[in-house]
Amino acid sequence: MKIQELAAEIESTLLMEEQQIEQFRIRFLGSKNILKDLYAAIKDIPNEQKKAYGQSVNALKEHAERRFLEAKAALHKVQKLSNNEDLTKPAGSPKVGAHHPLSLIRKEILNIFKQIGFDVSEGPEIEDDWHNFSALNFPIEHPARDMQDTFFIQKGEEELALRTHTSSVQVRVMEQQQPPIRTISPGRVFRNEAISARAHCFFHQVEGLYIDKDVSFADLKQTLLFFAQTLFGTQTKIRLRPSYFPFTEPSAEVDISCTLCDFKGCNVCKQTGWLEIMGCGMVDPNVLEACGIDTDVYTGFAFGMGLERIAQLKYRVNDLRLYSENDIRFLSQFKSGMA
Ligand code: DAH
């Protein structure tokens, strides 16, 4: 009888508040708990009923423990909710990501050229020999092909390559379109290089191409000056040094005045005051002809730059590997660049 009463009490006691729970604990689970009398009474129980009696007292104890733990957990939840989680509060701001620095710089470069009438064109990363080399005036067996350590892919009889530069997109555009052509081609390129702080087996380039009547070297220079000053500031100077590329004649390498030291000399410009940013030149007539453009009527210029290099100069990132390691501590530093 006593057992049933206690079972009913255990089941029905209100356990909402801390005090109620504590009283319950003292009564049923504390050091002088009421169940102890029941255990003590076992010696007066007839032998044949001892087992059943013991089991029901044990069940009573387990019941009390269960209710106690459940009540405690429920109270804890309510307290937590009222401390930290005021459901009437406005939601906190969501965590925002950051654009990748290379995406930021690509967008900035494309925007500059869009302002002066360039459109954007893209081509495949897996290229054939014609678009990556031959049409760009790299004859078969010409040593200039060694300038670019190429990854080759064999597809049946055909040998394909991971493009080594975005100059391949020039060819595709010229094959499909007659001048005037003003296009800018961003994309990923691949070279068989050992990975280090200064070289990677894949990186990104932006290629520019302008073909029309009477396009001259002066137009090229003016376009590049506009680009450099828009990206790096109006005080920026450019310098062109003679160079060699199979697809341009004449060819030049473009330097900008060091964005850090203003010709005083520093370790970024290696004490020269100048930083190399791209290659350029007048499109070689052989290239125009290979792409079906009339060299009696049209001339043009082209240029190509590495995005990692430009980003390095803009953001002072001196290890190329950071761009592809996906380290959140690096990437989250570019949050303010969100457009
Ligand atoms: N394709 C060259 C490279 O990957 C870069 C380049 C140089 C592109 C001169 C051009 C150019 O269009 O005129 O190193």
Side-chain angles (χ1 to χ4, degrees):
M1 187 56 202
K2 183 107 197 246
I3 290 181
Q4 276 165 15
E5 274 169 26
L6 286 172
E9 186 187 334
I10 288 170
E11 186 56 38
S12 61
T13 308
L14 203 60
L15 297 178
M16 299 287 281
E17 285 160 21
E18 196 143 18
Q19 224 182 346
Q20 294 169 332
I21 298 174
E22 181 57 8
Q23 272 166 12
F24 181 89
R25 187 191 67 77
I26 292 168
R27 183 161 163 76
F28 293 103
L29 305 165
S31 56
K32 289 184 190 146
N33 71 65
I34 191 164
L35 302 182
K36 285 196 168 164
D37 293 343
L38 296 181
Y39 280 117
I42 204 159
K43 61 180 190 307
D44 306 324
I45 301 288
N47 268 348
E48 64 278 12
Q49 291 172 21
K50 269 195 167 70
K51 189 175 173 204
Y53 178 82
Q55 280 174 346
S56 39
V57 180
N58 279 345
L60 215 53
K61 190 175 167 220
E62 278 163 24
H63 188 186
E65 275 169 358
R66 197 169 356 106
R67 276 225 70 202
F68 170 73
L69 290 176
E70 281 169 8
K72 264 257 193 288
L75 180 72
H76 187 69
K77 213 166 157 189
V78 170
Q79 280 171 342
K80 207 173 143 210
L81 215 66
S82 53
N83 286 346
N84 314 328
E85 296 175 34
D86 177 352
L87 298 179
T88 62
K89 268 195 205 160
S93 52
K95 278 201 177 129
V96 284
H99 282 295
H100 193 280
L102 294 176
S103 302
L104 292 174
I105 206 81
R106 180 185 56 203
K107 193 165 174 200
E108 210 172 332
I109 292 172
L110 296 190
N111 280 344
I112 293 173
F113 285 103
K114 280 184 199 166
Q115 282 175 47
I116 50 173
F118 281 73
D119 62 19
V120 178
S121 50
E122 286 180 296
E125 290 179 352
I126 298 176
E127 263 302 4
D128 49 39
D129 181 275
W130 171 256
H131 291 97
N132 197 75
F133 291 121
S134 296
L136 288 164
N137 202 30
F138 287 83
I140 305 270
E141 311 298 345
H142 192 281
R145 291 192 179 212
D146 296 342
M147 284 164 68
Q148 317 200 334
D149 298 301
T150 311
F151 287 116
F152 291 102
I153 299 172
Q154 199 68 36
K155 186 185 166 205
E157 292 289 279
E158 198 183 4
E159 186 174 63
L160 297 170
L162 294 182
R163 67 177 174 197
T164 58
H165 53 182
T166 43
S167 302
S168 55
V169 187
Q170 281 189 27
V171 178
R172 291 189 172 272
V173 172
M174 286 190 277
E175 282 174 338
Q176 284 158 18
Q177 199 184 321
Q178 280 297 307
I181 295 170
R182 257 176 300 186
T183 194
I184 192 102
S185 318
R188 189 173 7 214
V189 302
F190 306 84
R191 292 194 196 172
N192 188 3
E193 305 239 16
I195 297 171
S196 70
R198 318 185 96 242
H200 212 295
C201 58
F202 65 83
F203 52 99
H204 301 78
Q205 289 187 333
V206 166
E207 182 83 11
L209 178 71
Y210 179 26
I211 313 276
D212 205 348
K213 290 176 184 150
D214 303 323
V215 176
S216 69
F217 203 90
D219 296 320
L220 168 60
K221 217 176 154 183
Q222 202 56 40
T223 304
L224 297 182
L225 181 65
F226 169 77
F227 166 71
Q229 294 192 338
T230 313
L231 190 63
F232 293 106
T234 46
Q235 75 295 343
T236 309
K237 297 181 180 59
I238 63 167
R239 168 176 92 167
L240 275 67
R241 283 177 290 110
S243 185
Y244 170 76
F245 300 101
F247 34 89
T248 41
E249 183 59 35
S251 305
E253 222 114 23
V254 184
D255 297 341
I256 56 165
S257 48
C258 181
T259 48
L260 270 194
C261 69
D262 195 27
F263 294 113
K264 285 184 198 74
C266 67
N267 57 5
V268 174
C269 64
K270 301 199 191 76
Q271 314 302 330
T272 64
W274 294 100
L275 302 162
E276 187 186 319
I277 59 161
M278 67 170 103
C280 70
M282 299 305 291
V283 180
D284 193 301
N286 287 346
V287 175
L288 295 177
E289 268 158 29
C291 301
I293 289 180
D294 187 346
T295 50
D296 290 335
V297 185
Y298 298 112
T299 52
F301 65 69
F303 54 87
M305 67 188 107
L307 277 189
E308 281 80 354
R309 170 73 177 153
I310 307 284
Q312 174 195 13
L313 297 176
K314 265 228 74 127
Y315 303 132
R316 307 266 161 252
V317 177
N318 50 16
D319 189 330
L320 271 181
R321 292 167 292 196
L322 285 165
Y323 291 118
S324 51
E325 277 169 350
N326 276 342
D327 188 330
I328 202 90
R329 292 167 302 179
F330 171 68
L331 296 173
S332 60
Q333 292 176 51
F334 296 91
K335 273 192 184 152
S336 58
M338 296 272 279

